[in-house]
Amino acid sequence: MSISHDNKEEPPCDGPNYRFINLIAHNAADTFASDIAKGLAAPQKYIRSMHMYDTDGSELFERITQDQDYYPTHAETEILARFAPEIAACLAENTALVELGSGSAKKTRLLLQALLDKHNHALFCPIDISGDFLRENVRCLSGDFPNLEILGIVADYYAGLSVLANEIHQPILMLWLGTDIGHADRNAAAGLLRDKMIPALKPGDRLLVGIDLKKSAEPIHRAYGCPGDKEPLRYAFNCNALRRINRELGGNFITEKFQRYCFYNETLGRIETYLKSLCDQQVTVASLGRSFDFKEGELVHLHFAYKYDQDDILQLGKAAGLKLQQQWFDEKAWYSLNLFAVA
Ligand SMILES: C[S@@+](CC[C@H](N)C(=O)[O-])C[C@H]1O[C@@H](n2cnc3c(N)ncnc32)[C@H](O)[C@@H]1O
């Protein structure tokens, strides 16, 4: 009943220039189940956004990034296409790249190429919970970049970071792209950097963080497919959390009985994404041995996506104890890449 994509027995799958560490093989289903039990029993129901990702979820997200309205990916690609050599020039000799939530790592290729142009050899360490998707992408990368050594870590960010000290004995650039930092509120984001990420780094290491910028609501609404009920791809991606509960925990969610509800909250500078129950209904999750009641119109929170202005970014660095070393922007100045130095 509680078998996840990432939980099946894996054949040995290391290759000539890549290997994997899997830190979620044996307890992923338990963690997923307890998280879902907690989130659906809360007064404001929620499902953590990480649970939208398995292979299907990662593929759906990848399709969203190809939508011309999804500017965060296009802007980040534009910045890296233009400035990757300049970013590489800011880094110490022999710097290894560690990427949190690497996904397809398509944009990262631009930076990897710039590092390889500089040093001819590099180490890349992507960390992602979507294990099969990570493995597939590592294999593709290894074929395309024979001089790249890759250590793929299938793990939650923080578990993944805990192995770095044993595995990497050279300067690190930690990448957190795709504006994923925006899922945490601004104070919590600084806390994550300060308490979870910086402790995995050494003085002199660096962090490159993709941060989406505040702007008028219109392009943000188009990027996130708001109003939410009109957009089938983003709806399918969000519903993947429900489908995972059905598949992996024996749930009986009928996704058609939920609608996507998404809007930009200009006061708080954040996108808010929910699933809304279209009727009074009860859903049973067999492996939890319990049912959950949903009222018509009740919301299940999926994620926020916070947008920053320059003061917010400066404040983030200050609160996290990081020095903002350099920034790069796309032509429209809708998006930023921020290089922070660990003191
Ligand atoms: C929004 S996607 C971004 C992917 C890629 N960085 C990009 O910019 O296109 C988030 C990625 O982070 C991974 N992810 C989400 N939460 C995670 C967590 N807590 N630990 C590890 N990976 C996570 C997902 O599987 C997914 O690949």
Side-chain angles (χ1 to χ4, degrees):
M1 180 83 45
S2 55
I3 302 289
S4 82
H5 280 282
D6 295 320
N7 211 23
K8 57 199 174 205
E9 277 305 310
E10 293 166 35
C13 59
D14 295 349
N17 56 342
Y18 62 88
R19 67 190 171 96
F20 296 102
I21 296 177
N22 186 350
L23 299 176
I24 59 173
H26 298 299
N27 62 4
D30 292 345
T31 310
F32 181 43
S34 63
D35 253 19
I36 295 302
K38 204 167 146 203
L40 294 185
Q44 163 62 76
K45 291 184 173 63
Y46 67 89
I47 300 175
R48 291 170 69 199
S49 60
M50 65 188 280
H51 296 313
M52 289 188 283
Y53 293 95
D54 58 358
T55 302
D56 291 348
S58 294
E59 281 168 1
L60 284 163
F61 178 74
E62 195 53 27
R63 284 174 57 198
I64 292 170
T65 66
Q66 287 156 16
D67 179 340
Q68 61 173 4
D69 286 333
Y70 193 72
Y71 68 81
T73 297
H74 306 307
E76 202 163 49
T77 305
E78 179 192 322
I79 297 170
L80 286 168
R82 193 155 165 216
F83 296 112
E86 197 176 308
I87 297 170
C90 295
L91 305 176
E93 187 92 355
N94 199 26
T95 292
L97 247 61
V98 172
E99 180 164 10
L100 300 171
S102 48
S104 71
K106 269 195 190 143
K107 292 166 289 180
T108 315
R109 284 170 172 253
L110 296 160
L111 200 48
L112 290 169
Q113 188 60 60
L115 279 187
L116 288 168
D117 288 346
K118 208 174 145 204
H119 300 302
N120 201 37
H121 180 269
L123 170 63
F124 177 45
C125 179
I127 302 174
D128 205 295
I129 33 153
S130 188
D132 290 342
F133 196 72
L134 174 90
R135 281 184 275 269
E136 187 52 37
N137 282 293
V138 164
R139 283 186 205 104
C140 287
L141 272 175
S142 75
D144 294 344
F145 295 92
N147 289 347
L148 191 64
E149 184 190 338
I150 312 175
L151 170 61
I153 303 185
V154 182
D156 182 77
Y157 298 143
Y158 312 117
L161 291 176
S162 69
V163 306
L164 293 188
N166 278 338
E167 297 290 339
I168 302 186
H169 309 285
Q170 57 200 80
I172 290 175
L173 172 68
M174 190 181 288
L175 298 176
W176 202 9
L177 302 181
T179 193
D180 279 355
I181 192 169
H183 291 318
D185 76 38
R186 296 186 193 87
N187 286 335
L192 287 177
L193 293 174
R194 187 185 57 237
D195 302 332
K196 305 272 192 179
M197 294 176 187
I198 297 172
L201 298 172
K202 307 173 290 301
D205 285 348
R206 292 189 167 80
L207 264 144
L208 187 68
V209 187
I211 301 182
D212 197 15
L213 301 175
K214 285 180 183 162
K215 59 187 76 63
S216 69
E218 205 265 328
I220 299 180
H221 274 155
R222 275 193 282 118
Y224 289 87
C226 307
D229 55 331
K230 300 277 188 304
E231 213 293 314
L233 189 53
R234 288 155 180 84
Y235 172 69
F237 173 59
N238 293 153
C239 281
N240 196 48
L242 307 187
R243 285 193 297 274
R244 281 196 65 200
I245 296 171
N246 288 352
R247 263 195 318 264
E248 299 173 30
L249 304 177
N252 65 353
F253 276 102
I254 297 171
T255 53
E256 293 73 18
K257 291 189 176 178
F258 288 85
Q259 188 178 58
R260 187 166 179 268
Y261 178 61
C262 175
F263 63 94
Y264 184 52
N265 180 333
E266 269 193 275
T267 314
L268 296 175
R270 70 184 188 198
I271 277 283
E272 303 191 10
T273 303
Y274 305 86
L275 287 172
K276 185 196 274 185
S277 177
L278 291 174
C279 55
D280 288 349
Q281 54 180 315
Q282 188 174 69
V283 173
T284 300
V285 182
S287 71
L288 299 179
R290 59 179 297 184
S291 298
F292 301 92
D293 292 317
F294 295 81
K295 294 210 175 328
E296 182 178 349
E298 187 173 351
L299 299 178
V300 182
H301 177 251
L302 293 180
H303 70 80
F304 294 133
Y306 278 85
K307 312 298 166 194
Y308 284 62
D309 60 24
Q310 184 65 5
D311 280 350
D312 296 328
I313 295 175
L314 293 173
Q315 182 52 36
L316 175 76
K318 199 169 154 201
L322 288 165
K323 183 174 173 330
L324 181 60
Q325 196 180 337
Q326 198 152 342
Q327 293 178 291
W328 295 271
F329 302 91
D330 61 310
E331 290 254 307
K332 289 182 177 145
W334 279 3
Y335 195 88
S336 63
L337 271 187
N338 302 272
L339 185 67
F340 293 102
V342 178

